[in-house]
């Protein structure tokens, strides 16, 4: 089974697109910053999306596509198995960030290279659109953090306060989009 990757346009993004997408993630340990130091902390919960979450996601992804951002998806046998989105507006002054607003892989396809392919596509798109770095407000689960570390992410030099306020337990990360950028 070969995965097919493609850009999605606003009119292709609907609730139906996610009918067979499995967001489920069982989280046991999370990475947290306490007293200025990163620690691993027990924080068990199950992360899954409600119908309201899917509706909000569809709205956000449609807006990203409509405003010139990237919505890039992985399909296996015609079924959505992963997606990434990058917002089109640069921020962060000289850091020249573009916001990687979402990256998710269906539970049944994790560990098969889909996330890596999506992340690399996001970096390429960001570089082509003038960014020096991707900014990621990342889920703090240790498995998610291991993925971002493998992709070359580090703690963000400048935090996007709107992300911190919206998701205070997320880890604020950055990733260079070009190896020669500092």
């Amino acid at each position: 089974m070969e995965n097919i990757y493609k850009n999605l346009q606003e009119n292709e993004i609907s609730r139906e697109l996610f009918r067979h997408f499995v967001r489920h993630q069982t989280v046991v340990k999370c990475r947290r910053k306490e007293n200025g130091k990163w620690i691993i902390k027990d924080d068990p919960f199950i992360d899954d999306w409600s119908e309201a979450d899917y509706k909000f996601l569809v709205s956000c992804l449609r807006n990203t596509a409509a405003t010139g951002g990237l919505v890039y998806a992985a399909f296996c046998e015609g079924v959505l198995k992963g997606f990434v989105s990058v917002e089109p507006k640069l921020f962060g002054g000289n850091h020249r960030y573009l916001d990687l607003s979402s990256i998710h892989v269906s539970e049944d396809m994790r560990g098969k290279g889909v996330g890596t392919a999506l992340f690399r596509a996001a970096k390429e798109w960001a570089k082509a659109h003038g960014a020096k770095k991707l900014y990621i407000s990342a889920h703090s689960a240790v498995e998610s953090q291991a993925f971002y570390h493998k992709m070359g992410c580090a703690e963000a030099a400048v935090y996007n306060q709107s992300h911190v306020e919206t998701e205070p337990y997320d880890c604020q990360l950055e990733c260079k989009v070009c190896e020669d950028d500092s």
Side-chain angles (χ1 to χ4, degrees):
M1 293 181 289
E2 185 177 327
N3 295 326
I4 305 295
Y5 294 87
K6 70 175 215 162
N7 290 325
L8 295 179
Q9 303 305 311
E10 179 185 9
N11 65 346
E12 296 176 283
I13 304 167
S14 67
R15 175 62 181 97
E16 180 62 20
L17 181 67
F18 295 89
R19 186 165 46 110
H20 299 292
F21 191 87
V22 183
R23 168 60 187 102
H24 183 267
Q25 183 176 2
T26 300
V27 177
V28 177
K29 295 184 179 291
C30 290
R31 190 166 183 245
R32 298 279 193 261
K33 193 169 193 178
E34 291 186 3
N35 301 318
K37 292 186 176 190
W38 288 102
I39 63 168
I40 303 297
K41 187 173 187 173
D42 288 332
D43 190 9
F45 64 96
I46 293 176
D47 198 358
D48 212 342
W49 289 334
S50 67
E51 190 58 34
D53 293 329
Y54 276 106
K55 287 180 180 175
F56 181 71
L57 173 67
V58 167
S59 173
C60 290
L61 292 175
R62 287 178 61 90
N63 181 67
T64 299
T67 57
L70 173 72
V71 180
Y72 189 69
F75 293 86
C76 183
E77 297 183 353
V79 177
L80 179 72
K81 292 298 179 178
F83 62 94
V84 65
S85 59
V86 180
E87 302 306 315
K89 187 177 176 191
L90 287 165
F91 69 95
N94 290 335
H95 292 282
R96 296 187 61 85
Y97 290 123
L98 280 178
D99 190 9
L100 188 147
S101 49
S102 64
I103 183 168
H104 296 281
V105 176
S106 187
E107 186 176 41
D108 56 313
M109 293 295 284
R110 293 180 193 149
K112 298 180 181 179
V114 173
T116 299
L118 293 170
F119 196 88
R120 286 182 179 149
K123 284 176 63 173
E124 289 173 18
W125 187 89
K127 180 181 176 185
H129 287 81
K132 289 173 72 175
K133 301 174 186 176
L134 281 175
Y135 186 95
I136 307 109
S137 183
H139 196 292
S140 63
V142 293
E143 299 84 0
S144 299
Q145 289 299 303
F147 168 78
Y148 290 114
H149 179 75
K150 182 177 105 178
M151 295 294 99
C153 297
E155 185 174 4
V158 176
Y159 279 21
N160 180 320
Q161 287 306 311
S162 66
H163 283 309
V164 173
E165 291 166 12
T166 303
E167 294 287 348
Y169 293 116
D170 275 8
C171 299
Q172 306 305 309
L173 305 175
E174 68 182 31
C175 185
K176 296 176 192 173
V177 298
C178 185
E179 292 308 314
D180 59 344
D181 286 342
S182 54

